[in-house]
Amino acid sequence: MTARPEAAPRRDWATIAAAFAAMAVVVSVWVALDRRPPEWDHANHLERVILCAGDMARGDVSAVLERSSFYPPLVPCLAGLAYRLAPSDTAAAQAVTLLFLALGMSATYVLGRDLVGGAAGVAAALIFVSAPFVVFSTLHFDLDLPLAALVALAFVLLLRTEGFSRVEWSFLTGLVFGLGMLTKPPFAAYVLPPLALVVWRVRTRRAAMNLALAGVVGTALSLPWYALRLVGLPAQIGNRSFRQAAESRHPEIFSWTGLSFYPRWSLVQFGVLAVLVCCIGLVLAVRRRQSFLLVALLVPLGLLTLLQNKNLRYTLPLLPVAAVFAGTGLNALCGRWRRAGSVALLLMGVLQITGTAFGMPPSEILLPGLELPWVVDSRPTRTDWKHREILALIARHSAGGARTVSVVPNFAVFSVSNFRYYALRDNLPLRFQRAWDGEPIGIDYMVLKTGNVGPSWTADKPNRIAERLRTDGDLARVFPTIGAFPLPDGSAAIVRARSIPAVPGARPAALGEAIASGLRRQLPDYARDVEGLRVALEYDDAILQGRVRRLEITATAATVGELRRRNTATLPLHDLRIVVDDLLVNPYSAHGAGRFDPLDAGRVTIERATILTRDFQSFLHGLKDFRRASVSLKDGAMAFVMEQPGPDVEATVRLVPARGQPFALAADRVRLGSVPVPQALVNFVVRNYDPTPGLVSRLPVPVEVGRISIGDDGIRISTDGAGARER
């Protein structure tokens, strides 16, 4: 008795469903056991889940679109929607991850079935779901597994269009293209090579119209997010691919380490046996001239190899196609070899899942000759890294007030990303920042860690801060330790809070003179060629605790900048007056060492300054982002021309008052090359060059600027202000 033809697909789907169900059980058990804090980007994405849930609850679409400069909102907001329906953000995130895993398995099966056959498709789906890095990505909320699923689905739909001859599949292809771009910008890099191959073969008018339909649908869906970032996104991608990679000490592109990274680590990412049968499938694909699959795998892989920034996350979207090649290779084996290979791959897949998720067998087993682990280690851990205890201590100590916390280490499970996520989840009114530079201005609490403080390329600053607190008794005195917690790696977390007792035995007048003298001595770090300097303070007995009601600095001329840094941009100023209200300084370092160590301020106001046109132009050319810019000043505005690859940007910019920041930019008469930009789209273009959001995010205290007027000869800031007693 023979099986009905439709029985085989049902059996295939039943096999895939059973594999997915088993994986869902593994994930559920792992989540129930694991207490490890989310690391870096994982914590950032979970934070966005909570933020997006709040945005959707308020109906704030603009906040959804503007939250991140690089990561689109689709996956976090899907998890945010689930979070609104479920009590746990972790459960919501894992549910969305499992949803995309199911989509990825299904698309991989259909891709293999359509190109090779049902047996190869089933094998491809099982190889995909059991790949060590797929298992790892299923256990940790991120964007790359959803990206892989949508890439595989896009390939399925692209083939179903039959060269864009079918309108319904062309429409769905455009829809998935839009969703893929709303998952992560690199989606285009994986999909465009095979798309170009299909487009090359378009010959009929009908196919061209269907192709246009797909393009319109995909563009319309993704444009609301990308329109805000269209100009600045290429630079971000370039920075992440090369500059940040160099800062993180990734190997050079054409070094042996750089070129061999993905081939070597594919054994860990995909599995040893899977790589073996994938190679067989690749040979067969070349012989059979299966250009679609070859282009879909090899072109993006070559592109990723030529980027200095390398990470297994970046090649995860290639694994569905690699799994199809593996299924093809397995299907090509004959008789007992195929059965033996199937059993071996099935057993290895089970071991890869248990080894990755639970350390059984342990990941410490190394691949012979490569010194690489055989799977990605992601075993659950019950260790407590004390985030909640530390946050609870700070909340009690601050009486629930809004405070700024500097998380000094950049350790994977003990960084600003973890703390910011946990504080948001627990609805604590705390602001977080990374390790501070110079002086801890605006910092209410510090969280430090002994021992390992993070990757070598970020460890210098935490180590420097720890050494400063160890050797500078005056700083340690005003940031006493309020709590210490043992951590699982044998180190300790130290929590310090700003608390300034009055300096014993000091006189207010003498301390005021010491503060003013210290400021004058330290001024060369920030200003040179200073003429007509005057420093005036207003204070009372609270100065003994470092509180100065008003500090006024005036000068007839000065050239300002971060002069301690090399090649820093400097700006000559004339007729300068700066007023600092509610200044807080370290009174102990002023009294004992004559230093001016600022700690906080209620407001800094630039009341008066004049910047000559030529000086402003030179200053702009000294800034990294404006070195290719030219500017002219006239009629209350600045006429900018930004030279860049592609069309230059021209704009007339005015500086206008703004709440919560020194000023804002208002632009008109914007042109991209020779094309005028409609006024409704001006902000979409100018926001990519606007330095004010970044400036505001780096300011530790509120800064205001007086009335700004722009003329042919320069920029003038003016306002009325009261005087102060000179010191």
Side-chain angles (χ1 to χ4, degrees):
M1 185 175 180
T2 59
R4 290 179 297 173
E6 62 269 20
R10 286 204 299 266
R11 187 168 57 248
D12 292 350
W13 284 114
T15 302
I16 294 169
F20 172 75
M23 191 64 196
V25 170
V26 169
V27 171
S28 300
V29 173
W30 186 90
V31 169
L33 294 175
D34 187 62
R35 293 295 179 271
R36 184 181 178 89
E39 303 177 9
W40 293 318
D41 272 357
H42 299 301
N44 294 334
H45 293 315
L46 284 171
E47 180 186 358
R48 283 198 68 203
V49 170
I50 301 172
L51 290 171
C52 197
D55 294 338
M56 290 188 293
R58 294 187 301 272
D60 192 346
V61 177
S62 63
V64 171
L65 293 176
E66 294 180 4
R67 277 292 175 197
S68 171
S69 62
F70 187 77
Y71 293 117
L74 178 66
V75 176
C77 287
L78 281 177
L81 181 61
Y83 177 53
R84 292 189 61 194
L85 303 174
S88 168
D89 62 309
T90 303
Q94 290 302 147
V96 170
T97 300
L98 285 172
L99 174 66
F100 278 105
L101 177 66
L103 177 62
M105 292 176 65
S106 301
T108 302
Y109 162 70
V110 174
L111 188 63
R113 185 193 66 188
D114 289 354
L115 292 175
V116 186
V122 172
L126 298 183
I127 290 170
F128 172 73
V129 73
S130 62
F133 201 73
V134 172
V135 178
F136 174 86
S137 300
T138 305
L139 300 174
H140 302 273
F141 182 69
D142 212 335
L143 307 183
D144 298 283
L145 181 59
L147 183 65
L150 288 170
V151 166
L153 181 59
F155 291 160
V156 170
L157 296 176
L158 191 56
L159 290 172
R160 293 284 175 96
T161 66
E162 297 179 7
F164 288 98
S165 64
R166 304 182 63 179
V167 63
E168 67 278 12
W169 292 110
S170 299
F171 175 83
L172 290 174
T173 298
L175 184 66
V176 170
F177 275 32
L179 294 175
M181 291 302 295
L182 287 177
T183 300
K184 208 172 181 183
F187 177 84
Y190 304 105
V191 176
L192 285 181
L195 173 63
L197 189 66
V198 174
V199 171
W200 178 258
R201 297 169 181 171
V202 168
R203 294 292 182 268
T204 67
R205 181 179 179 182
R206 177 183 176 85
M209 292 180 63
N210 290 338
L211 173 62
L213 172 65
V216 169
V217 171
T219 301
L221 191 59
S222 58
L223 188 61
W225 191 84
Y226 281 92
L228 301 175
R229 301 158 177 83
L230 196 59
V231 179
L233 194 60
Q236 283 201 58
I237 293 174
N239 287 337
R240 290 170 183 266
S241 301
F242 298 101
R243 183 177 62 82
Q244 293 179 12
E247 292 173 353
S248 300
R249 302 176 188 174
H250 285 226
E252 294 293 331
I253 297 171
F254 294 106
S255 66
W256 170 248
T257 304
L259 292 173
S260 65
F261 179 86
Y262 287 125
R264 292 174 66 246
W265 279 91
S266 65
L267 298 169
V268 183
Q269 181 189 41
F270 198 34
V272 175
L273 290 183
V275 169
L276 178 62
V277 290
C278 178
C279 291
I280 298 173
L282 276 168
V283 173
L284 291 173
V286 172
R287 293 178 59 184
R288 296 170 182 173
R289 299 182 179 179
Q290 292 178 315
S291 55
F292 184 92
L293 284 177
L294 289 169
V295 168
L297 178 65
L298 299 180
V299 174
L301 180 59
L303 175 64
L304 293 170
T305 300
L306 294 177
L307 301 181
Q308 188 173 359
N309 190 7
K310 292 181 171 62
N311 193 300
L312 294 184
R313 293 188 291 119
Y314 304 155
T315 50
L316 176 58
L318 301 180
L319 293 193
V321 176
V324 172
F325 279 119
T328 302
L330 179 64
N331 193 61
L333 300 177
C334 299
R336 68 178 66 179
W337 288 106
R338 183 189 300 176
R339 289 192 294 273
S342 299
V343 171
L345 280 167
L346 182 62
L347 292 176
M348 180 60 77
V350 171
L351 291 176
Q352 287 171 176
I353 292 172
T354 58
T356 301
F358 302 111
M360 300 182 299
S363 61
E364 287 79 8
I365 298 174
L366 301 180
L367 296 175
L370 294 176
E371 298 301 315
L372 296 176
W374 76 288
V375 292
V376 184
D377 184 13
S378 191
R379 70 192 77 180
T381 174
R382 305 289 292 179
T383 53
D384 183 2
W385 285 85
K386 310 295 184 180
H387 294 86
R388 282 196 159 176
E389 291 184 41
I390 292 170
L391 290 172
L393 170 64
I394 293 173
R396 288 195 306 271
H397 190 271
S398 65
R403 298 291 186 268
T404 299
V405 182
S406 172
V407 180
V408 174
N410 190 35
F411 193 65
V413 294
F414 203 83
S415 71
V416 67
S417 300
N418 321 124
F419 280 94
R420 189 172 56 229
Y421 158 62
Y422 283 124
L424 177 67
R425 190 186 67 178
D426 296 340
N427 199 30
L428 298 176
L430 300 175
R431 299 180 298 270
F432 290 87
Q433 67 176 58
R434 301 179 187 276
W436 41 272
D437 284 306
E439 300 298 327
I441 301 175
I443 302 299
D444 298 296
Y445 294 89
M446 299 180 195
V447 179
L448 302 105
K449 180 182 181 297
T450 62
N452 188 351
V453 292
S456 58
W457 56 89
T458 66
D460 288 348
K461 191 180 292 185
N463 288 334
R464 187 165 61 248
I465 289 173
E467 179 65 14
R468 171 85 183 274
L469 287 165
R470 188 184 68 82
T471 58
D472 187 346
D474 294 326
L475 179 62
R477 187 192 297 263
V478 299
F479 276 95
T481 298
I482 62 169
F485 303 85
L487 298 178
D489 65 345
S491 65
I494 309 297
V495 182
R496 291 178 175 267
R498 192 176 68 199
S499 178
I500 308 177
V503 179
R507 293 181 296 107
L511 191 53
E513 182 61 41
I515 292 171
S517 299
L519 188 152
R520 292 190 187 95
R521 280 193 296 272
Q522 289 166 235
L523 206 58
D525 289 342
Y526 305 98
R528 65 169 185 250
D529 305 326
V530 180
E531 299 176 9
L533 175 67
R534 296 173 62 193
V535 177
L537 287 81
E538 284 186 358
Y539 56 83
D540 53 22
D541 289 349
I543 196 174
L544 299 178
Q545 293 178 287
R547 300 191 178 279
V548 177
R549 285 204 304 265
R550 182 180 174 93
L551 165 67
E552 182 178 307
I553 303 171
T554 60
T556 56
T559 299
V560 301
E562 295 184 77
L563 301 181
R564 289 178 295 181
R565 296 186 177 184
R566 293 182 178 179
N567 303 318
T568 188
T570 59
L571 179 63
L573 300 174
H574 302 272
D575 190 22
L576 174 67
R577 182 167 71 203
I578 299 175
V579 173
V580 184
D581 292 306
D582 299 323
L583 173 67
L584 181 67
V585 301
N586 188 336
Y588 290 90
S589 61
H591 178 69
R595 294 201 315 264
F596 176 76
D597 293 340
L599 298 176
D600 209 342
R603 182 178 66 236
V604 176
T605 306
I606 303 175
E607 291 194 346
R608 193 173 66 224
T610 298
I611 308 169
L612 301 180
T613 299
R614 64 177 183 273
D615 295 332
F616 183 64
Q617 292 170 336
S618 298
F619 173 69
L620 280 182
H621 291 156
L623 299 176
K624 180 182 64 176
D625 294 334
F626 290 89
R627 285 172 184 165
R628 302 180 66 183
S630 60
V631 62
S632 59
L633 308 180
K634 59 181 179 180
D635 301 328
M638 297 181 287
F640 270 96
V641 177
M642 293 289 297
E643 297 181 11
Q644 59 183 14
D648 295 342
V649 177
E650 300 180 28
T652 299
V653 177
R654 290 175 171 79
L655 305 180
V656 297
R659 178 176 294 180
Q661 61 187 59
F663 54 82
L665 301 187
D668 55 19
R669 287 178 279 180
V670 178
R671 303 176 70 91
L672 278 174
S674 59
V675 180
V677 176
Q679 193 61 34
L681 301 178
V682 161
N683 287 337
F684 292 161
V685 175
V686 173
R687 74 193 304 271
N688 294 282
Y689 303 96
D690 187 355
T692 55
L695 174 65
V696 171
S697 68
R698 292 191 297 270
L699 291 174
V701 297
V703 175
E704 295 182 1
V705 177
R707 184 172 60 86
I708 302 173
S709 58
I710 301 174
D712 294 344
D713 57 344
I715 302 172
R716 286 180 172 79
I717 300 171
S718 60
T719 188
D720 294 328
R725 186 166 66 249
E726 183 177 346
R727 284 286 166 190

